[in-house]
Amino acid sequence: MSDHETAPPEVDHEDEIPADHPRYTDLLTRHRIEAGVEKGITHLQGMHAEGRGSAFDYLLGEQTLPTADEAERAAAAHLLLADHPVLSINGNVAALVPGEIVILAETVEADLEINLFNRTPERIEAIADHLREHGADAGEIKGLEADARLPNLEHERAKVDADGIYAADVVMVPLEDGDRAEALDELGKTEIVIDLNPLSRSPQVADVPIVDNIVRAVPNVTDHARELADADPADLEAVVESFDPDDALAEAEERIRRGAVDD
Ligand code: PTJ
């Protein structure tokens, strides 16, 4: 392993991670997930998910592909066109982009809904508190009621809010497990998935698969949404129509297989 791949000594706060470190994003996300586990918001399995994501990101050169940027623009257009958009939050999302996801929700007037694979009341509360600390309005966080169920999905993972994900027309589900992504797809919702693995079932069933690191993707969707905020619905529809999910998945897979780290 070359020197630049070696992590610096343990840091107590993410501000201590040197911003010019060649693997800065990886060190930052790793630190945030670790802090999330310590705070009780991220499940230990979130560390495995993070490790997988980080390997794919390394092969993508830790940068946003042009097709991922197109996906992020299409996601912004879908969210702006939606009647009832919802952004789904799990333990990794809450740890990695708490402030950024709150800003995106405000920008596109979406609800935030906590929706966990490993659901416990303690984690739900801890994540809701964490989102409030990052600017979410106390009354606007959904997922605490869990008074509806997604069909064809077992136990805790199926729980959603009747006036949240269940009623949504457009749902953003970052770092999602494949079964739930499929269940949402079967309900006919427009699904935006953020996942660094283009071969995972979640991006495969998505209307808009964003193969990018969530720490780059969410702020970029917000930037596109701000730019498109005054666009006519017809122009937003044109952005949606011009995006090809199969091309985006194929480009990401090709890039990962080539492993063109230094391009
Ligand atoms: O908080 P919970 O209980 O809801 O659990 C959340 C996890 C993430 C543990 C759970 O949903 C899970 O096990 O997910 P998977 O099946 O591991 O899928 C996570 C996907 O996210 C994988 O395909 C990873 O490659 C991808 N991923 C990991 N980190 C990132 C990422 N994609 C984008 N950005 C990342 N930073």
Side-chain angles (χ1 to χ4, degrees):
M1 184 180 275
S2 64
D3 282 350
H4 78 268
E5 287 168 6
T6 308
E10 196 175 328
V11 291
D12 290 327
H13 192 274
E14 66 180 50
D15 291 348
E16 295 165 34
I17 301 169
D20 61 350
H21 193 285
R23 307 292 325 281
Y24 176 76
T25 305
D26 186 50
L27 296 178
L28 179 74
T29 52
R30 211 192 301 180
H31 182 82
R32 286 188 182 173
I33 292 292
E34 199 180 328
V37 171
E38 279 167 10
K39 206 172 169 184
I41 60 180
T42 307
H43 194 273
L44 259 186
Q45 288 173 10
M47 285 194 166
H48 291 265
E50 164 67 14
R52 276 198 299 281
S54 143
F56 287 115
D57 206 19
Y58 184 76
L59 293 169
L60 286 166
E62 292 180 354
Q63 57 191 324
T64 301
L65 295 180
T67 43
D69 183 58
E70 284 166 25
E72 285 153 11
R73 194 167 178 79
H78 270 297
L79 289 167
L80 289 168
L81 281 166
D83 289 326
H84 185 176
V86 176
L87 314 181
S88 182
I89 313 283
N90 66 17
N92 285 49
V93 177
L96 291 173
V97 287
E100 294 85 344
I101 204 95
V102 169
I103 291 171
L104 174 59
E106 282 167 7
T107 307
V108 299
E109 296 181 28
D111 285 332
L112 296 168
E113 178 159 340
I114 304 168
N115 186 246
L116 301 181
F117 185 81
N118 308 283
R119 186 184 176 97
T120 64
E122 293 78 19
R123 285 189 64 218
I124 297 269
E125 272 309 320
I127 291 172
D129 287 345
H130 189 65
L131 293 172
R132 286 183 205 117
E133 283 164 23
H134 284 84
D137 276 343
E140 286 177 8
I141 302 171
K142 298 196 186 297
L144 302 122
E145 301 280 327
D147 49 356
R149 296 185 69 87
L150 300 175
N152 306 322
L153 202 58
E154 333 113 46
H155 51 84
E156 300 297 294
R157 290 183 303 165
K159 291 185 174 174
V160 290
D161 274 19
D163 64 350
I165 286 177
Y166 196 80
D169 54 349
V170 177
V171 193
M172 176 182 271
V173 281
L175 284 61
E176 184 60 273
D177 91 282
D179 284 353
R180 191 162 41 205
E182 270 179 355
L184 287 167
D185 184 52
E186 280 163 19
L187 282 178
K189 301 190 185 297
T190 297
E191 210 173 343
I192 301 163
V193 165
I194 303 174
D195 194 320
L196 277 158
N197 179 3
L199 298 173
S200 168
R201 256 182 312 154
S202 321
Q204 300 267 344
V205 298
D207 299 274
V208 181
I210 299 177
V211 184
D212 198 7
N213 198 316
I214 189 170
V215 297
R216 295 189 298 271
V218 168
N220 200 29
V221 175
T222 302
D223 286 349
H224 281 299
R226 286 183 175 141
E227 206 188 303
L228 292 167
D230 297 324
D232 292 334
D235 292 335
L236 294 175
E237 293 286 0
V239 172
V240 164
E241 288 304 317
S242 66
F243 172 70
D244 186 330
D246 294 329
D247 275 0
L249 290 170
E251 193 201 343
E253 185 182 342
E254 194 274 329
R255 176 83 187 196
I256 286 168
R257 287 190 187 280
R258 197 156 37 97
V261 173
D262 293 316
D263 276 15

